[in-house]
């Protein structure tokens, strides 16, 4: 065999798996056909966060007036932002390749396709390996509607030649909500369409309600409980959206954010004997093993919890398990996550509804205007919420909508992973004056939600 381990896909999960396996002495090869660092680094988390930050400055300029600054926002230079973003992504691409080289991994910038369970075609080479890891991620889903090709998906959003004046986001998940905030912050008129009553299905209900209010306060027009039925191009190049409720309106850019599809269409999984789920995801067990005992799958391609740090943890754990003297473990019970909306969301553990399905819960909620905005004049309220299992008093859910929510939730995630109870939160000394101190001063129970309550 040419390699002990061959990894298909050089995203965050694949690269981590390759480096760790090589550091344990394995002969490792990795193939990537598009860009090192995968979706997250190139057309996902990283450029998105840079764009979120770009969008914040306009509001900060306005907010500074309350503090005595005589500042003017001026106009935003889209091309300058794209150039700065591209330079940073290029730098990160280079770092990924260096990391692989420094750890002794052999890399191939080519597509890999299984020819049989132990062989892949990589460009014009045939490569054999003892074990394989599929880490090819996913791609944005397109809707099956008339005129779908008139819209874009997230991959194109990072290379628009100029900033559109009117933008419509279709889909009320992570990407729809985040890009609504980005384009609004940069000055566009923004519409957000989704088929549920509230955005972010699966998140805590109260948080979702707070988010819908906040998005509207930010000037984003919400169109809940509706589907896009047809898209039409007008003579001036703009798009007319026809909705299922009979309404129609025009926009310059229609952006589909309808989830992602695993990248398994041309991987040769059949030749490898790897079973796919009906949605194209590679079927794995809890140990990331596919239907072939020597082939593994990590990250979005297995469509479990599609988050970069989860893919990294899976890749690292797998490399340790296959080749390491010791195994680093992660807790997947309470995974903290953030949505970089305006304002951002941080969440960890169970929603009130999910927790109540297991037993009665004590709910603690604080809603307040953070100190900065008492003077900035911006009506950007913060929502913080703890969901506490009544029987054990363990904090089983923490949810926040407000400035710095993502930053805070990482630390709350540590407490929850350690099994902290409400009294552990209560006996922690706060940091004053911060919004974060609210986590340890939520003294009065807001309500009790009985077992299997439906809200
Ligand atoms: P999501 O799964 O988060 O949301 C998809 C949205 O599209 C939902 O509102 C869904 O509605 C809707 N939808 C799906 N199919 C249809 C359809 N046929 N017609 C109408 N609406 C439809 O996907 P995203 O594309 O927003 O993001 C992809 C993934 O990337 C996320 O799930 C997340 O794992 C990851 N991500 C993480 C980020 C972060 O950590 N901050 C940021 C961005 C992405 P419904 O709810 O009814 O199904």
């Amino acid at each position: 065999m040419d390699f002990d381990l061959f990894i298909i896909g050089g995203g965050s999960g694949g690269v981590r798996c390759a480096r760790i396996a090589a550091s344990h002495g394995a002969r490792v090869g990795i193939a990537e056909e598009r860009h090192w660092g995968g979706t997250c680094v190139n057309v996902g988390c990283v450029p998105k966060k840079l764009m979120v930050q770009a969008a914040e400055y306009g509001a900060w300029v306005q907010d500074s007036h309350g503090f005595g600054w005589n500042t003017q926002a001026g106009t935003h230079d889209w091309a300058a932002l794209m150039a700065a973003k591209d330079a940073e992504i290029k730098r990160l691409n280079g770092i990924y390749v260096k990391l692989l080289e420094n750890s002794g991994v052999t890399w191939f910038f080519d597509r890999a396709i299984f020819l049989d369970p132990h062989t892949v075609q990589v460009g014009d080479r045939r490569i054999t390996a003892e074990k394989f890891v599929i880490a090819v991620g996913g791609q944005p889903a397109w809707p099956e509607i008339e005129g779908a090709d008139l819209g874009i998906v997230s991959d194109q959003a990072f290379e628009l030649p100029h900033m559109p004046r009117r933008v419509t986001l279709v889909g009320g998940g992570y990407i729809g909500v985040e890009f609504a905030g980005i384009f609004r912050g940069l000055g566009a008129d923004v519409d957000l369409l989704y088929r549920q009553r509230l955005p972010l299905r699966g998140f805590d209900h109260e948080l979702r309600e707070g988010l819908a209010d906040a998005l509207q306060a930010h000037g984003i027009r919400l169109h809940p409980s509706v589907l896009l039925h047809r898209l039409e191009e007008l003579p001036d190049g703009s798009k007319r959206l026809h909705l299922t409720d009979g309404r129609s309106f025009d926009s310059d850019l229609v952006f589909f954010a309808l989830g992602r599809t695993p990248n398994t269409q041309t991987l040769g999984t059949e030749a490898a004997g790897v079973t796919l789920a009906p949605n194209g995801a590679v079927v794995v067990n809890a140990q990331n093993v596919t239907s072939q005992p020597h082939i593994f799958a990590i990250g979005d391609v297995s469509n479990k919890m599609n988050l970069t740090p989860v893919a990294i943890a899976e890749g690292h754990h797998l490399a340790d398990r296959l080749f390491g003297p010791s195994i680093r473990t992660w807790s997947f019970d309470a995974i903290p996550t953030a949505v970089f909306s305006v304002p951002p969301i941080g969440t960890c553990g169970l929603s009130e509804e999910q927790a109540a399905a297991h037993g009665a819960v004590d709910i603690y909620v604080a809603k307040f205007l953070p100190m900065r905005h008492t003077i900035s004049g911006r009506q950007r309220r913060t929502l913080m919420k703890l969901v506490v299992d009544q029987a054990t008093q363990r904090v089983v859910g923490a949810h926040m909508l407000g400035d710095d929510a993502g930053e805070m939730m990482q630390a709350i995630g540590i407490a929850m992973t350690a099994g902290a109870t409400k009294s552990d939160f209560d006996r922690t000394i706060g940091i004053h004056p911060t919004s974060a101190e609210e986590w340890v001063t939520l003294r009065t129970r807001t309500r009790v939600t009985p077992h299997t309550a439906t809200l």
Side-chain angles (χ1 to χ4, degrees), residues 39 44-45 48 140-144 154 170-179 193-196 198-203 208 226-228 256-260 300 303-309 337-340 345:
T39 299
C45 329
K48 179 274 310 287
W142 286 86
E144 289 178 10
S154 53
V170 185
Y174 278 84
I175 295 179
V177 162
E178 291 183 338
F179 272 91
L193 299 185
Y194 44 92
R195 63 184 175 186
Q196 307 292 332
L198 291 166
L200 291 184
R201 180 169 60 88
F203 283 64
R208 296 170 70 196
V226 78
L227 292 171
L228 177 61
F256 301 115
L258 301 171
R260 295 177 63 84
D300 289 9
N303 198 31
K304 289 188 289 183
M305 188 99 183
N306 296 341
L307 299 169
T308 298
T337 176
V339 184
F340 296 97
I345 283 177

Side-chain angles (χ1 to χ4, degrees), residues 368 370-371 382 384 400 403 408 431 433-439:
F368 58 95
M371 191 175 173
T382 289
M384 288 161 82
M400 176 171 176
D403 293 340
M408 278 187 222
I431 302 173
T434 62
S435 292
E437 69 182 314
E438 205 67 33
W439 292 117

